[in-house]
Amino acid sequence: SAERHDAPDGTEATVASQVVGPFLLTGLLLERLATSAPSRVITMSSGGMYTAPLMVSGLEMAADEYKGAEQYARAKRAQVTLTEVWAERFGRLGVYFHSLHPGWADTPGVEESLPGFYRLMKDRLRTPAEGADTVVWLAAAEAARHHDGRFFFDRVPRSPYWLPWTRESAGDRRRLWRRCEAAVSGYLG
């Protein structure tokens, strides 16, 4: 969206739906996932996150500086970071955490949010089925369990960092986790 929208609790809508909501859902399901081990939590990210550093204090853009594609990229970077932290903290429970980039697929979201990119690339975009290949593979393949916490593209673990300035510090990772914990504290026991 070109304009900032807030969830009922005041959290920017993209952060609410892409970061806080999945964090809460994973936390609520963690015990069930552990008792059903081996189990998997798979997070669909986006290529946009390659350009975004982890911004804990600036995760939610203010209305006067809001850019929908940039907000989405920030949220997707946070997702990938949280996937790694979930794996570090809870992978020993037999729950495997993965994130992935599906490749640039011909979807209404790409056409709507990145019209210039879409016009230039529309003949080269993946079909939705091609974009879904890696997530389906991650859900079922035994081989995926050997790469807990990793970021995937085309069924291969890849670095989530193309640009050196997008790497986060250990402190930023901890701050992001604490921020998410605080956002969902009323829902988790």
Side-chain angles (χ1 to χ4, degrees):
S1 171
E3 295 177 13
R4 179 184 163 124
H5 297 281
D6 290 345
D9 71 350
T11 304
E12 188 278 328
T14 304
V15 172
S17 66
Q18 302 296 314
V19 180
V20 177
F23 186 89
L24 174 60
L25 182 60
T26 302
L28 290 171
L29 292 175
L30 191 59
E31 185 177 329
R32 174 71 54 106
L33 290 164
T35 59
S36 303
S39 54
R40 302 171 198 217
V41 175
I42 303 168
T43 302
M44 182 72 72
S45 190
S46 165
M49 70 94 200
Y50 284 122
T51 65
L54 179 62
M55 301 182 73
V56 180
S57 62
L59 183 58
E60 297 179 61
M61 297 178 81
D64 61 340
E65 65 178 33
Y66 193 84
K67 296 176 188 139
E70 185 177 337
Q71 179 64 84
Y72 188 73
R74 289 180 187 188
K76 292 300 184 176
R77 171 60 68 190
Q79 283 183 330
V80 171
T81 302
L82 286 169
T83 296
E84 294 169 351
V85 178
W86 279 109
E88 291 164 7
R89 289 175 174 242
F90 300 103
R92 70 189 182 288
L93 300 176
V95 182
Y96 298 91
F97 298 87
H98 306 294
S99 60
L100 72 134
H101 173 25
W104 294 101
D106 190 353
T107 64
V110 170
E111 185 176 6
E112 238 176 72
S113 62
L114 301 169
F117 173 82
Y118 182 80
R119 278 191 304 280
L120 286 171
M121 300 299 292
K122 68 181 175 184
D123 295 332
R124 294 185 191 103
L125 296 176
R126 296 173 177 207
T127 67
E130 290 168 335
D133 176 75
T134 298
V135 72
V136 171
W137 179 81
L138 284 169
E142 181 68 28
R145 291 175 39 194
H146 301 290
H147 302 285
D148 193 25
R150 295 295 306 274
F151 178 76
F152 284 79
F153 179 72
D154 287 342
R155 298 186 181 189
V156 177
R158 311 279 181 152
S159 172
Y161 309 102
W162 280 2
L163 305 167
W165 52 269
T166 61
R167 290 188 177 274
E168 71 278 346
S169 69
D172 284 341
R173 293 165 70 88
R174 284 189 300 274
R175 281 188 288 284
L176 177 63
W177 185 269
R178 285 195 305 266
R179 178 180 178 165
C180 289
E181 280 183 321
V184 303
S185 65
Y187 301 99
L188 294 176

